[in-house]
């Protein structure tokens, strides 16, 4: 009896790599991983119902409040792969704690911001702060898989995807309730307790040092010495700061152009092209590149996954922001009511993810997700200013199905396709393509709602979304590599 109790105590309270169960994922890691990973989607989605109230309070038109969306996405698109690479090099704990601390600071700054400029700055800081947790979580998932010898942590990957998908669709409802209770500043202030919870959990539960056992992968200058926690400890030859700077310049120029594509901004694509050429030239020559283009360029399946991520989220975010704005302006609903109309979107996404999560079935999920996106876009074409509430809720519920399928499928695909030594930076790039999709969606919303979010603009936006969903289906069907993505036996 006593040895049994002692064994149970050690199994429950001993961290991974320090004598814990050798063949079981350390469940103490799940809470900080999941909570940190939802910081970005909750802040990305809550702002959807706050744009109109913020514009009214600060006297800013939609063209200016759009920077509250674009600023966070711009910072996140740059920050995710950069911080992901740092996670690969130095381990997840330090970057996780620094990033989540920044989230709390950004929340405080946003809650007292006196004008739109200060509010945008807070959102940019928020974007960088939320960029650490997801690469850290994917890094820890890979390291635990190597430590335990179980290469299919489907439950953990599902928890990450389900939590992010669920929070992203619950966000508008939560945002509407917070605005109803305490005004739009509460959607910034809520980051303070979330940040504190992440800091406490991260400090108590994340391993101080992680390594991957020998034989896992020795490429890219990574030392595969065995040790606690299972993640790689690199032989650091220096951080590729010039590569990171050129990558940031490429993304900034491209995304600023996407925010407002027009003839006067012709120089932005040119700058993006020049920065991209300089970036490629450097990354192909340095021994320890920020992004190993040789490996990435030879990994066609992973590149296809990045493209599917972009297409999936272009349609998803065009619906989230465009439909929400139309509910408030074209349909005349209050922010809180608009959030409640989107509640079926949340519930459907949660249900679909929970039911399908433990089966990878990447191709099947993407095919079904794209088909339902096509059906949802077609349903949007039937909406009018006088459409009933149940019809609006039904459209939201329909669009929740791909929310629960596509993100999870792309994440599972990346886990199988990416170099284990660079799982953090690959996960960051996956999020970058997600936010490139969000930026394309934001640009589409601005283009089709030039004179307000009216019904005609919504229908044109629906046709744009429909084209993206059809392209997603085509890219999925022709990719034969998806059929080979099966769990490897330990």
């Amino acid at each position: 009896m006593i040895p049994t109790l002692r064994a149970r105590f050690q199994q429950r309270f001993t961290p991974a790599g320090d004598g814990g169960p050798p063949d079981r994922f350390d469940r103490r890691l799940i809470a900080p991983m999941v909570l940190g990973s939802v910081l970005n989607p909750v802040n990305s989605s809550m702002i959807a119902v706050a744009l109109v109230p913020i514009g009214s309070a600060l006297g800013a038109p939609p063209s200016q409040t759009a920077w509250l969306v674009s600023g966070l996405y711009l910072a996140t698109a740059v920050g995710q792969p950069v911080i992901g690479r740092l996670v690969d090099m130095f381990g997840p704990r330090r970057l996780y704690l620094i990033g989540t601390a920044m989230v709390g600071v950004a929340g405080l700054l946003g809650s007292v911001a006196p004008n739109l400029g200060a509010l945008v700055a807070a959102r940019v800081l928020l974007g960088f702060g939320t960029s650490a947790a997801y690469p850290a979580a994917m890094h820890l998932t890979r390291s635990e898989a190597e430590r335990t010898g179980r290469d299919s942590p489907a439950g953990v990957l599902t928890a990450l995807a389900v939590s992010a998908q669920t929070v992203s669709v619950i966000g508008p409802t939560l945002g509407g309730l917070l605005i109803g209770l305490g005004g739009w500043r509460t959607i910034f202030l809520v980051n303070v307790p979330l940040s504190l919870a992440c800091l406490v959990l991260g400090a108590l539960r994340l391993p101080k040092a992680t390594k991957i056992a020998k034989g896992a992968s020795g490429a890219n200058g990574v030392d595969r010495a065995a040790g606690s926690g299972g993640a790689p400890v690199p032989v650091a030859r220096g951080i590729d700061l010039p590569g990171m700077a050129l990558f940031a310049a490429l993304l900034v120029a491209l995304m600023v152009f996407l925010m407002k594509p027009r003839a006067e901004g012709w120089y932005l694509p040119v700058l993006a092209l020049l920065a991209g050429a300089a970036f490629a030239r450097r990354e192909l020559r340095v021994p320890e590149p920020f992004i190993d283009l040789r490996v990435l360029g030879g990994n066609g399946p992973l590149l296809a996954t990045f493209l599917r991520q972009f297409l999936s989220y272009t349609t998803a975010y065009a619906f989230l922001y465009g439909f929400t704005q139309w509910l408030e302006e074209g349909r005349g609903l209050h922010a809180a009511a608009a959030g409640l109309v989107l509640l079926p979107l949340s519930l459907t996404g949660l249900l679909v993810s929970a039911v399908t999560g433990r089966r990878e079935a990447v191709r099947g999920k993407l095919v079904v997700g794209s088909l339902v996106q096509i059906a949802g876009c077609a349903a949007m074409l039937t909406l009018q200013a006088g459409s009933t509430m149940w019809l609006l809720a039904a459209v939201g519920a329909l669009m929740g199905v791909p929310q629960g399928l596509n993100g999870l499928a792309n994440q599972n695909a990346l886990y199988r396709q990416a170099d284990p030594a660079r799982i953090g930076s690959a996960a960051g790039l996956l999020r970058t393509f997600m936010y490139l999709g969000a930026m394309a969606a934001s640009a589409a919303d601005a283009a089709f709602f030039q004179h307000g979010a009216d019904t005609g603009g919504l229908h044109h936006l629906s046709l744009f979304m429909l084209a993206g969903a059809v392209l997603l289906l085509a890219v999925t069907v022709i990719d034969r590599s998806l059929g080979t993505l099966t769990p490897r036996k330990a």
Side-chain angles (χ1 to χ4, degrees):
M1 172 69 91
I2 292 177
T4 301
L5 291 175
R6 183 183 299 119
R8 289 182 178 178
F9 178 85
Q10 289 177 343
Q11 177 175 323
R12 182 179 179 113
F13 294 103
T14 305
D18 293 326
D23 62 345
R24 186 176 303 174
F25 191 97
D26 183 6
R27 294 183 178 276
R28 299 174 71 250
L29 301 176
I30 295 177
M33 287 167 57
V34 169
L35 185 59
S37 296
V38 303
L39 291 176
N40 195 282
V42 74
N43 280 286
S44 301
S45 55
M46 281 195 305
I47 196 70
V49 294
L51 294 176
V52 173
I54 290 174
S56 298
L58 301 180
S63 61
Q64 293 182 13
T65 57
W67 277 99
L68 295 170
V69 177
S70 304
L72 183 136
Y73 288 155
L74 190 59
T76 305
V78 173
Q80 289 270 359
V82 169
I83 297 177
R85 181 58 183 147
L86 297 178
V87 167
D88 287 333
M89 296 180 70
F90 302 111
R93 177 187 170 91
R94 185 183 310 173
L95 277 302
Y96 179 96
L97 294 177
I98 292 173
T100 52
M102 289 173 62
V103 170
V105 173
L108 283 174
L109 292 176
S111 68
V112 298
N115 51 52
L116 184 64
L119 208 56
V120 170
R123 290 279 292 179
V124 170
L125 182 61
L126 195 60
F128 282 117
T130 59
S131 293
Y134 180 70
M138 290 294 284
H139 186 105
L140 286 165
T141 302
R142 168 59 68 181
S143 71
E144 283 293 284
E146 298 292 350
R147 181 185 68 81
T148 61
R150 296 185 176 186
D151 196 49
S152 183
V156 179
L157 291 174
T158 300
L160 290 175
V162 168
S163 58
Q165 292 292 333
T166 302
V167 167
S168 67
V169 291
I170 286 177
T173 303
L174 175 61
L177 292 175
L178 289 174
I179 292 170
L181 290 173
W184 61 263
R185 292 187 185 273
T186 56
I187 69 168
F188 288 88
L189 197 58
V190 73
N191 285 290
V192 176
L194 291 175
S195 170
L196 291 174
C198 287
L199 288 172
V200 171
L201 287 171
L204 292 177
R205 298 187 176 187
L206 296 186
K208 293 184 179 180
T210 56
K211 301 177 183 179
I212 286 181
K214 286 183 178 180
S217 173
N220 302 312
V222 177
D223 181 12
R224 297 297 178 187
S228 70
V233 173
V235 180
R237 301 178 185 173
I239 303 172
D240 183 19
L241 291 177
M244 292 178 179
L246 288 169
F247 177 79
L250 163 64
L251 278 186
V252 169
L254 178 61
M255 295 181 76
V256 169
F257 178 74
L258 285 176
M259 284 188 292
K260 193 173 286 188
R262 52 187 178 182
E264 306 92 274
W266 63 267
Y267 60 92
L268 291 170
V270 174
L271 288 177
L273 184 62
L274 293 175
F279 172 73
R281 178 183 175 86
R282 174 174 176 81
E283 300 304 277
L284 291 172
R285 293 191 173 194
V286 296
E288 290 297 323
F290 161 48
I291 296 177
D292 195 334
L293 294 182
R294 293 185 183 88
V295 174
L296 185 62
N299 193 341
L302 182 59
L303 293 176
T305 293
F306 289 148
L307 175 59
R308 283 188 292 269
Q309 183 83 340
F310 171 77
L311 293 172
S312 299
Y313 280 96
T314 297
T315 299
Y317 276 105
F319 176 79
L320 180 63
Y321 290 116
F323 185 64
T324 303
Q325 289 185 49
W326 176 80
L327 286 175
E328 295 184 42
E329 295 184 20
R331 184 62 174 75
L333 299 181
H334 185 269
L340 289 175
V341 167
L342 291 174
L343 187 57
L345 177 77
S346 312
L347 298 177
T348 305
L350 173 61
L351 179 62
V352 170
S353 296
V355 170
T356 66
R358 288 191 171 273
R359 295 189 61 185
E360 293 194 11
V362 172
R363 180 194 287 275
K365 288 178 180 177
L366 288 169
V367 169
V368 174
S370 56
L371 286 173
V372 178
Q373 273 192 343
I374 291 171
C377 295
M380 289 175 64
L381 291 171
T382 69
L383 297 179
Q384 302 294 333
S387 294
T388 60
M389 296 291 283
W390 70 262
L391 178 59
L392 302 179
V395 171
L398 189 63
M399 293 300 287
V401 174
Q403 291 275 25
L405 292 174
N406 293 341
L408 179 58
N410 288 324
Q411 178 182 265
N412 285 337
L414 175 128
Y415 184 81
R416 298 292 168 203
Q417 296 163 340
D419 177 8
R422 289 175 174 264
I423 188 68
S425 53
L429 278 173
L430 188 71
R431 285 287 180 94
T432 294
F433 278 90
M434 168 180 164
Y435 289 116
L436 282 172
M439 293 301 303
S442 180
D445 288 344
F448 295 121
F449 291 157
Q450 290 185 18
H451 306 293
D454 56 18
T455 301
L458 179 71
H459 290 166
H460 286 101
L461 179 65
S462 301
L463 291 173
F464 169 82
M465 294 164 55
L466 182 62
V470 170
L471 186 55
L472 172 62
L473 178 62
V475 172
T476 300
V477 170
I478 65 176
D479 188 356
R480 295 182 178 180
S481 70
L482 293 177
T484 66
L485 293 179
T486 56
R488 296 186 294 271
K489 301 296 184 182

